[in-house]
Amino acid sequence: GLDVGTVSAIFNAGSSFSSSSSGGGGGGGESIWCEDPNKTDDDLGVETKIVSFNAAKNDPHGSAVMPLYQTATFAQPSATEFGPYDYTRSGNPTRDAAQKILAELDGGCASYVFSTGMAAIMAVTRFAQSGDEVILSDDSYGGTYRLLSQVASRAGIKTTYVDLSGEEGPINLANAMNSKTALVMVESPTNPMMRVCPLQALADVCHSHSSRALLSVDNTLMSPLLMRPLGQLISN
């Protein structure tokens, strides 16, 4: 099987985003999808969205299933005209189709698909720069812990570990936040202790205590089928 990590992002005043991840480290891709910000399909169930999504509607051969474009480069109309794709690293129809449906399921306007979950998490940590602080749930996936403690730390990024679960979680977060906090990273339920974190309350703390801190939600365990941090919880 293919281990895929995604980051679905919506930047309302640059204040929040979520990430759905699984697995360990790898490559990347990028795409923007925000077809109509005023359009809503909230009346459709997630199952209906999945089965009715036509990923291959633009396929020139009328494929009923999205083809796998396993090519590095794409031919251009002419030496002076360029099509929508040129090099797979910068854009690929198969990847764009996956990003579009994932953005829709997560309730975001953009989705970025990576080859692994750790690649997605690595990209998220780039929102913090030297001198910044990251607040990480004290019960987090081991790969995330090692990334911050062994890699990000060498870039001058400090990590503070805080219990973000239960009723005390938002209080603990408020006490830990400061002017250097650039990123708050949480997974709910936590891994491996399965603690539930009150995401909306944590988002409210982030928004009220800082104009720059981002809240990242690792949605590996629930997936968009059971929880949508962007569409349901932290979109305000």
Side-chain angles (χ1 to χ4, degrees):
L2 176 64
D3 184 10
V4 175
T6 70
V7 173
S8 301
I10 183 169
F11 299 97
N12 287 339
S15 56
S16 59
F17 65 92
S18 78
S19 62
S20 307
S21 309
S22 66
E30 64 286 334
S31 175
I32 297 291
W33 177 66
C34 199
E35 181 176 304
D36 183 352
N38 298 314
K39 181 180 178 181
T40 176
D41 291 325
D42 288 342
D43 54 331
L44 298 179
V46 64
E47 296 89 352
T48 303
K49 290 182 179 181
I50 292 173
V51 300
S52 64
F53 179 69
N54 184 5
K57 65 180 180 180
N58 296 321
D59 181 71
H61 305 293
S63 175
V65 183
M66 188 66 201
L68 295 177
Y69 285 88
Q70 300 182 33
T71 179
T73 56
F74 296 84
Q76 303 304 305
S78 74
T80 57
E81 297 177 77
F82 295 91
Y85 302 101
D86 55 10
Y87 190 47
T88 278
R89 180 181 295 172
S90 59
N92 180 286
T94 307
R95 187 167 70 238
D96 282 356
Q99 292 175 151
K100 185 171 182 178
I101 184 58
L102 287 168
E104 183 173 333
L105 294 178
D106 270 319
C109 73
S111 177
Y112 302 84
V113 176
F114 299 79
S115 61
T116 71
M118 280 309 301
I121 294 173
M122 168 68 85
V124 169
T125 63
R126 295 303 179 94
F127 283 105
Q129 300 179 9
S130 180
D132 285 341
E133 178 182 29
V134 174
I135 294 179
L136 176 68
S137 170
D138 65 351
D139 181 35
S140 293
Y141 170 58
T144 305
Y145 171 80
R146 289 187 291 273
L147 172 64
L148 291 173
S149 64
Q150 299 177 22
V151 179
S153 60
R154 297 205 300 265
I157 298 171
K158 176 185 177 182
T159 302
T160 300
Y161 305 94
V162 177
D163 183 359
L164 301 177
S165 65
E167 295 182 356
E168 298 297 317
I171 299 174
N172 296 337
L173 176 60
N175 292 333
M177 289 194 69
N178 58 71
S179 61
K180 294 184 178 181
T181 304
L183 183 63
V184 177
M185 302 181 68
V186 61
E187 181 174 6
S188 185
T190 63
N191 182 354
M193 299 301 292
M194 295 292 137
R195 301 170 183 164
V196 176
C197 301
L199 300 182
Q200 181 64 71
L202 295 175
D204 292 342
V205 171
C206 284
H207 295 167
S208 62
H209 282 68
S210 174
S211 60
R212 64 185 293 255
L214 295 169
L215 174 63
S216 166
V217 180
D218 187 328
N219 197 25
T220 295
L221 295 176
M222 300 295 280
S223 84
L225 291 176
L226 299 175
M227 183 172 71
R228 295 191 303 152
L230 282 177
Q232 296 173 332
L233 299 173
I234 58 175
S235 58
N236 296 323

